[in-house]
Amino acid sequence: MLTREDCLQLDAKDTISALRDAFDLPEGLIYLDGNSLGAKPKAASLRAQQVVDQQWGQDLIQSWNKAHWFELPMKLGMQMLDLLGAWPNEVAVTDTTSVNLFKALAFCLKHQAQKDPARKKIISERSNFPSDLYIAQGLSNWLEQGHELVLLDDIADLPKVLNEECAVLMLTHVNYRSGAMLPMQEITALAHQHGALMLWDLAHSAGAVPLDLRGCDADLAVGCTYKYLNGGPGAPAFIWIHSRFLRDFEQPLSGWWSHIEPFAMRPEYRPTPGIGRALCGTQCIVSMSLVECGLDVFARTDMQAIRAKSLALGDLMLALLEQECAGLDVQVITPREHARRGSQICLAHPHAYGVMQALIKRGVVGDYRAPDIMRFGLAPLYVRFVDIWDAVYVLKEILQKQEYDPDAIPLLVS
Ligand SMILES: *Cc1c(COP(=O)(O)O)cnc(C)c1O
């Protein structure tokens, strides 16, 4: 039998427990939604004030140089190398994940068409995050070059669909709904065996699991900074491009920030060498400035320590669900095996929406995904072991006493 006392002891032994203090979290709230919107680093308040009041308010236009606004996308990219397993000058922070995916995918299709026009297939999973699939549909419809989006219902079928017609394999490493993680190295190698490019979406991986894009020899990747990286709502995303492509990388959003001489204001477009080619126009500096506050917390530890705690939190939650919630109609849909899960535990329940509303009312914040999933993100920088105990205990009470509205209907925006 696990007790609350056991969980407090796990917290006492936690080597990264002090990092929780770097975040502002409302008193008494158990926040298990860092996979959707990470908590606010305390430093973000002062940084926002500096950027708004000093850099913008006082220094105005001078801040492009004085505060290094222009270099910010690359500077932040350099701060992400260890998180991604990337090499210097391969990462930029810019735009949104959807926009970066568009640029990356557009490059993949063009690059492949130049080598072999018969490579027209984009392979992905039906369970991928919808925006990724919409971007792929939008781009291929727009191009009118006969590209086809092939969606797998079971990733085990991948070897059957990969062939000389595949341009790119576009997958999300950790599934947003189930928390299942794909074997990056193995899948990347498989894609390459068939001449396909490998494009990873790391929205639920960056800051949650150790990544080794270089070691896996992936080609391109994109991901969010506002989830596990705690960059703030709508914070700009990142894009990683293996340097073997950077000499020739091109993308359709060829705005002036990707120009070799942006301030020469020439009418002809000439891309800058390197990852700067992935940029488009003027960046959202205020929001982008806050990304650094989240990354600074990661610089105080490493992804091995974060992963160890993430798995321990997940194991604890699985054990407590078994101990406390057996027979209460909750079904774990996240793989239990360490190698196959990211940093969230997802449960199916016939009244998932109503149960999640009841949890939130009692101060346990996870989220709901249609039709019957409750997601609990375990952000190791600030989630405590005792939080898992308390969350499962509240869940058990809600289920046992049927303290939820079985007829609750999800709002369109939740
Ligand atoms: C959260 C998420 C996104 C978000 O994309 P935005 O452009 O920031 O809205 C994209 N892809 C995946 C897999 C996600 O989980």
Side-chain angles (χ1 to χ4, degrees):
M1 273 292 273
L2 283 159
T3 63
R4 192 170 191 276
E5 186 53 40
D6 295 333
C7 297
L8 288 169
Q9 279 182 18
L10 288 172
D11 283 318
K13 283 188 281 184
D14 172 11
T15 56
I16 59 169
S17 63
L19 297 179
R20 178 179 164 90
D21 196 44
F23 295 92
D24 274 328
L25 285 160
E27 191 64 38
L29 190 83
I30 298 176
Y31 191 64
L32 304 178
D33 215 359
N35 53 314
S36 191
L37 176 62
K40 182 177 80 74
K42 283 179 181 161
S45 303
L46 184 59
R47 183 67 57 90
Q49 207 180 353
Q50 280 166 347
V51 173
V52 172
D53 291 348
Q54 182 63 41
Q55 297 179 5
W56 178 19
Q58 297 300 311
D59 300 340
L60 287 154
I61 194 86
Q62 289 183 72
S63 287
W64 286 109
N65 296 316
K66 199 170 155 188
H68 305 287
W69 282 353
F70 203 79
E71 290 90 55
L72 207 47
M74 313 301 172
K75 181 184 170 213
L76 294 170
M78 291 294 274
Q79 285 175 263
M80 292 192 63
L81 302 183
D82 288 347
L83 293 175
L84 302 179
W87 285 13
N89 306 310
E90 293 182 336
V91 185
V93 170
T94 183
D95 299 332
T96 66
T97 302
S98 302
V99 171
N100 287 338
L101 189 79
F102 173 84
K103 293 183 280 195
L105 190 59
F107 165 74
C108 291
L109 298 183
K110 177 103 176 210
H111 180 84
Q112 294 288 53
Q114 281 167 351
K115 290 204 303 193
D116 177 1
R119 287 196 181 265
K120 297 269 194 217
K121 287 188 178 155
I122 306 166
I123 314 286
S124 194
E125 286 187 284
R126 200 177 305 279
S127 64
N128 198 348
F129 188 72
S131 193
D132 295 34
L133 302 182
Y134 302 160
I135 291 287
Q137 289 166 40
L139 179 61
S140 36
N141 290 342
W142 180 260
L143 288 172
E144 295 186 329
Q145 298 291 316
H147 288 105
E148 186 193 346
L149 178 62
V150 178
L151 297 181
L152 297 173
D153 288 304
D154 184 349
I155 194 70
D157 293 333
L158 187 58
K160 289 188 220 156
V161 297
L162 279 173
N163 56 30
E164 65 290 344
E165 293 174 2
C166 298
V168 52
L169 179 56
M170 177 190 85
L171 294 173
T172 295
H173 182 223
V174 175
N175 186 278
Y176 77 103
R177 254 174 111 256
S178 68
M181 181 165 77
L182 296 176
M184 185 179 282
Q185 176 120 37
E186 204 178 306
I187 289 182
T188 302
L190 197 60
H192 287 172
Q193 267 169 37
H194 294 274
L197 289 174
M198 186 69 235
L199 168 54
W200 287 105
D201 186 331
L202 306 175
H204 289 273
S205 312
V209 297
L211 292 166
D212 189 8
L213 287 167
R214 271 294 188 147
C216 294
D217 198 34
D219 297 306
L220 294 95
V222 298
C224 303
T225 65
Y226 55 76
K227 294 174 177 168
Y228 289 97
L229 296 177
N230 311 305
F238 63 86
I239 179 165
W240 168 81
I241 303 171
H242 193 295
S243 351
R244 65 175 159 249
F245 300 114
L246 282 175
R247 194 184 298 271
D248 305 315
F249 179 79
E250 44 182 341
Q251 48 101 356
L253 304 178
S254 47
W256 69 301
W257 275 53
S258 65
H259 198 279
I260 187 162
E261 291 177 298
F263 294 102
M265 305 285 166
R266 295 188 206 293
E268 308 80 26
Y269 179 72
R270 271 183 60 212
T272 185
I275 188 68
R277 290 175 173 231
L279 302 187
C280 179
T282 307
Q283 306 297 311
C284 46
I285 297 296
V286 177
S287 182
M288 188 175 282
S289 301
L290 303 187
V291 171
E292 192 167 23
C293 302
L295 296 180
D296 283 345
V297 186
F298 284 90
R300 294 167 55 190
T301 178
D302 59 67
M303 284 311 302
Q304 272 57 45
I306 288 173
R307 177 63 169 166
K309 181 170 174 192
S310 158
L311 289 171
L313 288 167
D315 287 344
L316 175 68
M317 184 154 180
L318 294 171
L320 288 175
L321 284 165
E322 230 155 79
Q323 178 180 304
E324 303 294 323
C325 297
L328 291 173
D329 223 6
V330 284
Q331 186 201 342
V332 176
I333 63 155
T334 306
R336 285 165 192 272
E337 206 185 310
H338 286 179
R340 291 188 56 222
R341 70 177 201 239
S343 199
Q344 67 187 51
I345 298 291
C346 306
L347 309 178
H349 185 275
H351 300 292
Y353 181 74
V355 174
M356 183 51 75
Q357 292 304 103
L359 279 166
I360 293 170
K361 217 182 270 174
R362 291 192 49 184
V364 178
V365 177
D367 63 21
Y368 161 81
R369 286 294 176 266
D372 62 351
I373 310 288
M374 292 183 276
R375 300 193 306 176
F376 300 93
L378 312 176
L381 294 183
Y382 51 81
V383 173
R384 295 169 301 198
F385 290 95
V386 74
D387 293 333
I388 304 295
W389 171 277
D390 291 340
V392 173
Y393 191 83
V394 172
L395 175 65
K396 169 184 159 175
E397 281 200 343
I398 288 169
L399 294 173
Q400 266 180 348
K401 299 181 188 164
Q402 293 197 10
E403 251 179 56
Y404 57 87
D405 176 0
D407 302 318
I409 293 170
L411 300 170
L412 276 178
V413 176
S414 70

